[in-house]
Amino acid sequence: MPKKYHIDTSKIPPRLPKTGKFGIVDWREDCARCHNCVKKSCVYDRYRQEMQFIKDLNEFSAMFFECMGCFSCVQKCTKGLLALTVNPEYERMGNGYYTPDIILTTWNQAETAGIPVSGAGYRGKFTGAGFDSMWTDMSEIVRPTRDGIHGREYISTSVDIGRKPKLLSFENDRLATVLPPLVDLPVPIIIDRFPEEYRFPNLLPMLLAAAAKTGTLVIVDWDEHGLPGDLEDKYLSNIVFHIGKDAPPPPPEILRKTRLVELADDAEVEQRIKEIKAVNPDLVVAVRVELDARGEDRAIELARNPVVEVIHIVSDINGNQTGVGNPRFIKDMTRHIHTSLVRDGIRDEVTIIAGGGIALAEHMAKEIICGADAVTIDMPLLIGLECRLCGSCRDGFECPAKIDSITARYGVGRMTNLIAVWHDQLIEVMGAMGMREARRLRGETGRALFFEDIEEETFGRLFGKRISA
């Protein structure tokens, strides 16, 4: 049996005081000094920690918002002196899509590599925009052999990147079909280029080291790459060079050692693919398609071209279509592209990688269910380094999280932890759905529920079709 895919992790403590969600306000003036104070029986032992933190007033504010929000002390206090409050600094984090809850969850995962558990449980809405309008079917969660990372069966998360033949032919009991090149990834995650306003030059060597530890790839601008030669030689198998529309390709000696390159889409993309494949026929070439007003149609058009092996569809960082007044979301666009190719009978031949709006591990699973073979991520890794998405670096000001001065151990460790825990969560979701391979999860919409479909089935006959604003 092959060795299980495993990522070694270690706890990487934060550099900055945490900005937690909840805090307990304690009105001690009316305290009866009960011998069995409810704070002493905190299931998370925050009272004992408070006594340690209070000795250092600089750290006390951080301790104050380490409350897990279980409400135990608030409900049991005989004098009613305790009240739960929300940290105003917490509410200011994020950008609307990357909510404070997502940011805090990402911080904790990058620190501990542990699957997140909320002491207060889920208090949000049961539906919403984007991925919140989609639920995964957990009907197989009771099967003892498929209980995620603790199960007795292997659950494979590996995917193949490249074009597959439509059928296989044999002659004299031997395979006659020429198999195209494929890139095998042990986890369906590729690290994408950060948006220009969020790029830190010191992160690239750390991203490459994290990719090497997790067995994945990093997309690097060929025009802008400035890696020292030793790093380039060391991590060349983990690099995907992105080649712009007017940029010349890397030299032949680089192309012959590379597994995958990415081309910006343009009218000459087919000819450019042929030129690159002439240098290295074993190289897989992806085409990056921006999901603007015609991005979906362009992705479908490229998939029908037998020269194109991989299509990388990209939305903005919030998962929205670009350049339109009423943008569609990445999951809906992916689903449309996938189903269109299924109708054409060519979906199994081409690989689709989707990027933008993948903020949580559950989003990765849902995006694969919608039809992607793999996903690309960028902002979650930056958030894992304690970024708050405050916009200071975007606006040209100094980064409050001081990401430009982090150490390699901290940066590589936190990003490795995040990819590792996303991998674990994907296994948990797949185990609960009864899926043993990520390849089979692709497009398996029968294992998911969509709010729009349920609403249509329930109320469509009564009220007709919903009219979008």
Side-chain angles (χ1 to χ4, degrees):
M1 185 174 288
K3 183 180 178 181
K4 263 190 175 181
Y5 172 66
H6 175 71
I7 303 174
D8 292 322
T9 62
S10 59
K11 184 174 181 179
I12 306 294
R15 299 170 294 118
L16 309 172
K18 277 188 180 180
T19 305
K21 181 175 184 179
F22 297 117
I24 294 296
V25 177
D26 183 353
W27 301 100
R28 298 193 179 186
E29 290 81 359
D30 297 326
C31 180
R33 303 294 190 272
C34 300
H35 178 69
N36 294 320
C37 177
V38 293
K39 293 176 67 177
K40 295 179 181 179
S41 60
C42 173
V43 294
Y44 295 101
D45 209 14
R46 290 294 186 251
Y47 177 76
R48 179 185 60 81
Q49 297 174 21
E50 178 184 343
M51 293 300 100
Q52 295 175 353
F53 272 84
I54 202 171
K55 298 176 183 178
D56 187 349
L57 293 181
N58 293 327
E59 295 293 333
F60 182 68
S61 59
M63 173 60 218
F64 184 72
F65 291 106
E66 284 289 306
C67 171
M68 295 297 291
C70 67
F71 279 98
S72 175
C73 62
V74 175
Q75 294 173 336
K76 294 179 181 179
C77 180
T78 58
K79 300 285 287 184
L81 304 179
L82 304 178
L84 194 73
T85 184
V86 177
N87 185 354
E89 287 294 328
Y90 176 86
E91 293 181 313
R92 283 194 283 267
M93 295 194 305
N95 65 357
Y97 180 79
Y98 284 90
T99 63
D101 284 348
I102 289 178
I103 292 176
L104 184 59
T105 297
T106 304
W107 286 350
N108 292 333
Q109 292 177 90
E111 177 184 350
T112 65
I115 295 176
V117 178
S118 173
Y122 177 71
R123 296 175 171 188
K125 298 178 291 185
F126 285 96
T127 187
F131 287 113
D132 290 338
S133 65
M134 177 181 176
W135 307 275
T136 52
D137 178 8
M138 302 297 187
S139 58
E140 298 288 331
I141 200 168
V142 296
R143 294 190 57 161
T145 59
R146 288 185 182 170
D147 57 346
I149 58 177
H150 306 291
R152 294 191 292 271
E153 292 185 1
Y154 275 10
I155 297 179
S156 172
T157 59
S158 65
V159 294
D160 299 317
I161 308 299
R163 196 168 188 97
K164 294 88 175 176
K166 189 171 184 178
L167 50 86
L168 299 178
S169 60
F170 295 83
E171 294 180 3
N172 300 324
D173 295 331
R174 291 187 178 183
L175 181 66
T177 303
V178 178
L179 298 179
L182 293 175
V183 174
D184 176 67
L185 292 181
V187 61
I189 298 174
I190 296 175
I191 302 173
D192 201 358
R193 305 176 301 163
F194 289 168
E196 189 172 352
E197 60 269 27
Y198 292 108
R199 291 181 188 174
F200 294 86
N202 64 312
L203 291 186
L204 186 52
M206 302 179 200
L207 289 167
L208 292 171
K213 289 187 67 174
T214 57
T216 188
L217 304 170
V218 181
I219 299 177
V220 177
D221 266 314
W222 170 247
D223 287 346
E224 301 176 5
H225 93 288
L227 281 175
D230 57 337
L231 281 180
E232 186 170 285
D233 293 339
K234 184 177 181 181
Y235 297 119
L236 194 55
S237 62
N238 300 104
I239 296 176
V240 179
F241 285 118
H242 172 82
I243 308 170
K245 294 180 180 180
D246 301 321
E253 58 269 20
I254 295 292
L255 291 178
R256 292 191 185 101
K257 299 178 183 178
T258 307
R259 296 192 293 166
L260 176 66
V261 297
E262 178 182 82
L263 297 176
D265 182 34
D266 63 7
E268 304 297 327
V269 70
E270 180 179 348
Q271 180 61 31
R272 297 172 71 198
I273 292 174
K274 292 178 178 178
E275 291 174 358
I276 289 176
K277 299 285 279 187
V279 177
N280 182 3
D282 294 328
L283 185 63
V284 178
V285 183
V287 180
R288 188 184 187 98
V289 179
E290 302 294 336
L291 289 175
D292 52 20
R294 65 180 302 270
E296 294 174 75
D297 293 337
R298 178 57 176 165
I300 296 170
E301 177 188 340
L302 287 171
R304 292 169 177 159
N305 189 333
V307 175
V308 178
E309 301 168 298
V310 182
I311 301 168
H312 182 194
I313 54 174
V314 184
S315 65
D316 67 12
I317 64 171
N318 298 330
N320 293 322
Q321 190 178 18
T322 59
V324 296
N326 189 22
R328 285 160 55 81
F329 191 67
I330 180 70
K331 75 174 178 63
D332 303 311
M333 293 184 283
T334 304
R335 198 176 177 192
H336 172 239
I337 294 169
H338 171 77
T339 53
S340 297
L341 300 183
V342 170
R343 283 193 296 268
D344 291 346
I346 59 173
R347 178 61 189 93
D348 289 333
E349 298 177 42
V350 67
T351 298
I352 295 177
I353 304 172
I358 313 297
L360 294 169
E362 67 181 69
H363 297 171
M364 169 177 58
K366 291 178 178 179
E367 182 63 18
I368 293 174
I369 289 173
C370 287
D373 292 277
V375 301
T376 55
I377 62 171
D378 44 23
M379 301 309 294
L381 294 174
L382 193 63
I383 293 171
L385 303 178
E386 298 181 82
C387 171
R388 291 158 168 74
L389 290 186
C390 63
S392 294
C393 59
R394 179 196 62 202
D395 298 331
F397 297 102
E398 184 180 0
C399 174
K402 298 179 173 56
I403 294 177
D404 53 356
S405 60
I406 63 174
T407 64
R409 179 183 178 277
Y410 169 88
V412 175
R414 300 270 295 198
M415 291 187 284
T416 300
N417 284 352
L418 189 61
I419 294 175
V421 73
W422 277 34
H423 170 254
D424 287 346
Q425 289 176 80
L426 179 60
I427 290 178
E428 291 285 351
V429 171
M430 290 173 60
M433 289 191 290
M435 307 294 293
R436 295 186 61 183
E437 286 189 272
R439 297 180 183 93
R440 289 186 57 199
L441 185 64
R442 186 205 71 193
E444 191 62 53
T445 53
R447 290 293 186 181
L449 302 172
F450 296 86
F451 173 77
E452 299 86 355
D453 297 343
I454 296 175
E455 183 185 52
E456 176 69 23
E457 293 171 5
T458 307
F459 301 110
R461 295 181 180 180
L462 296 175
F463 302 106
K465 190 174 181 179
R466 175 188 285 271
I467 299 176
S468 302

Tab-separated table of all heavy atoms in Angstrom, residues 110-128:
chain	number	residue	atom	x	y	z
A	110	ALA	N	-3.588	28.443	11.194
A	110	ALA	CA	-2.178	28.641	10.856
A	110	ALA	C	-1.284	28.490	12.079
A	110	ALA	O	-0.117	28.127	11.954
A	110	ALA	CB	-1.981	30.024	10.231
A	111	GLU	N	-1.821	28.748	13.251
A	111	GLU	CA	-1.037	28.618	14.480
A	111	GLU	C	-0.912	27.163	14.920
A	111	GLU	O	0.184	26.701	15.246
A	111	GLU	CB	-1.688	29.428	15.599
A	111	GLU	CG	-0.977	29.287	16.940
A	111	GLU	CD	-1.691	30.021	18.058
A	111	GLU	OE1	-2.631	30.792	17.778
A	111	GLU	OE2	-1.307	29.820	19.230
A	112	THR	N	-2.020	26.435	14.933
A	112	THR	CA	-2.036	25.108	15.540
A	112	THR	C	-2.152	23.957	14.550
A	112	THR	O	-1.925	22.810	14.923
A	112	THR	CB	-3.220	25.008	16.513
A	112	THR	OG1	-4.453	25.118	15.778
A	112	THR	CG2	-3.166	26.130	17.550
A	113	ALA	N	-2.539	24.229	13.299
A	113	ALA	CA	-2.831	23.177	12.313
A	113	ALA	C	-3.945	22.267	12.806
A	113	ALA	O	-4.032	21.100	12.416
A	113	ALA	CB	-1.591	22.359	11.978
A	114	GLY	N	-4.827	22.803	13.657
A	114	GLY	CA	-5.939	22.036	14.196
A	114	GLY	C	-7.245	22.421	13.520
A	114	GLY	O	-7.475	23.587	13.200
A	115	ILE	N	-8.109	21.432	13.305
A	115	ILE	CA	-9.413	21.702	12.719
A	115	ILE	C	-10.208	22.571	13.675
A	115	ILE	O	-10.308	22.268	14.865
A	115	ILE	CB	-10.157	20.383	12.418
A	115	ILE	CG1	-9.398	19.595	11.344
A	115	ILE	CG2	-11.589	20.639	11.983
A	115	ILE	CD1	-9.982	18.247	11.030
A	116	PRO	N	-10.776	23.691	13.207
A	116	PRO	CA	-11.406	24.653	14.118
A	116	PRO	C	-12.683	24.101	14.750
A	116	PRO	O	-13.492	23.446	14.103
A	116	PRO	CB	-11.711	25.852	13.214
A	116	PRO	CG	-11.819	25.270	11.841
A	116	PRO	CD	-10.847	24.136	11.808
A	117	VAL	N	-12.835	24.384	16.044
A	117	VAL	CA	-14.043	24.056	16.788
A	117	VAL	C	-14.454	25.303	17.544
A	117	VAL	O	-13.646	25.922	18.231
A	117	VAL	CB	-13.812	22.889	17.771
A	117	VAL	CG1	-15.077	22.613	18.573
A	117	VAL	CG2	-13.376	21.644	17.029
A	118	SER	N	-15.713	25.694	17.427
A	118	SER	CA	-16.193	26.916	18.078
A	118	SER	C	-16.887	26.565	19.381
A	118	SER	O	-17.822	25.759	19.407
A	118	SER	CB	-17.157	27.666	17.161
A	118	SER	OG	-17.747	28.754	17.838
A	119	GLY	N	-16.440	27.191	20.469
A	119	GLY	CA	-17.084	26.960	21.756
A	119	GLY	C	-18.507	27.467	21.801
A	119	GLY	O	-19.349	26.942	22.514
A	120	ALA	N	-18.792	28.520	21.047
A	120	ALA	CA	-20.133	29.106	21.044
A	120	ALA	C	-21.032	28.462	20.005
A	120	ALA	O	-22.204	28.792	19.920
A	120	ALA	CB	-20.047	30.610	20.791
A	121	GLY	N	-20.501	27.538	19.192
A	121	GLY	CA	-21.314	26.937	18.154
A	121	GLY	C	-21.554	27.903	17.008
A	121	GLY	O	-21.034	29.018	16.979
A	122	TYR	N	-22.355	27.463	16.053
A	122	TYR	CA	-22.650	28.303	14.894
A	122	TYR	C	-23.851	29.180	15.194
A	122	TYR	O	-24.908	28.699	15.574
A	122	TYR	CB	-22.940	27.429	13.666
A	122	TYR	CG	-23.315	28.236	12.441
A	122	TYR	CD1	-22.351	28.996	11.778
A	122	TYR	CD2	-24.618	28.263	11.979
A	122	TYR	CE1	-22.680	29.745	10.674
A	122	TYR	CE2	-24.957	29.013	10.866
A	122	TYR	CZ	-23.983	29.754	10.215
A	122	TYR	OH	-24.310	30.502	9.120
A	123	ARG	N	-23.677	30.502	15.016
A	123	ARG	CA	-24.762	31.427	15.314
A	123	ARG	C	-25.190	32.215	14.098
A	123	ARG	O	-26.004	33.135	14.213
A	123	ARG	CB	-24.298	32.421	16.367
A	123	ARG	CG	-23.985	31.778	17.686
A	123	ARG	CD	-23.427	32.868	18.562
A	123	ARG	NE	-23.293	32.413	19.906
A	123	ARG	CZ	-22.971	33.231	20.887
A	123	ARG	NH1	-22.799	34.501	20.634
A	123	ARG	NH2	-22.849	32.774	22.096
A	124	GLY	N	-24.637	31.911	12.971
A	124	GLY	CA	-24.937	32.700	11.791
A	124	GLY	C	-26.213	32.258	11.097
A	124	GLY	O	-26.968	31.404	11.580
A	125	LYS	N	-26.421	32.838	9.921
A	125	LYS	CA	-27.577	32.466	9.109
A	125	LYS	C	-27.318	31.109	8.453
A	125	LYS	O	-26.188	30.707	8.270
A	125	LYS	CB	-27.808	33.534	8.039
A	125	LYS	CG	-28.122	34.911	8.607
A	125	LYS	CD	-28.284	35.934	7.498
A	125	LYS	CE	-26.959	36.208	6.810
A	125	LYS	NZ	-27.080	37.303	5.810
A	126	PHE	N	-28.377	30.426	8.096
A	126	PHE	CA	-28.240	29.127	7.468
A	126	PHE	C	-28.137	29.230	5.953
A	126	PHE	O	-28.037	28.227	5.265
A	126	PHE	CB	-29.409	28.222	7.864
A	126	PHE	CG	-29.284	27.718	9.268
A	126	PHE	CD1	-29.935	28.357	10.299
A	126	PHE	CD2	-28.486	26.632	9.557
A	126	PHE	CE1	-29.802	27.901	11.604
A	126	PHE	CE2	-28.350	26.171	10.851
A	126	PHE	CZ	-29.009	26.809	11.886
A	127	THR	N	-28.183	30.432	5.449
A	127	THR	CA	-27.924	30.635	4.029
A	127	THR	C	-27.465	32.065	3.831
A	127	THR	O	-27.532	32.894	4.735
A	127	THR	CB	-29.175	30.351	3.179
A	127	THR	OG1	-28.826	30.414	1.795
A	127	THR	CG2	-30.266	31.373	3.454
A	128	GLY	N	-26.958	32.341	2.667
A	128	GLY	CA	-26.450	33.674	2.371
A	128	GLY	C	-25.901	33.703	0.965
A	128	GLY	O	-26.210	32.843	0.133
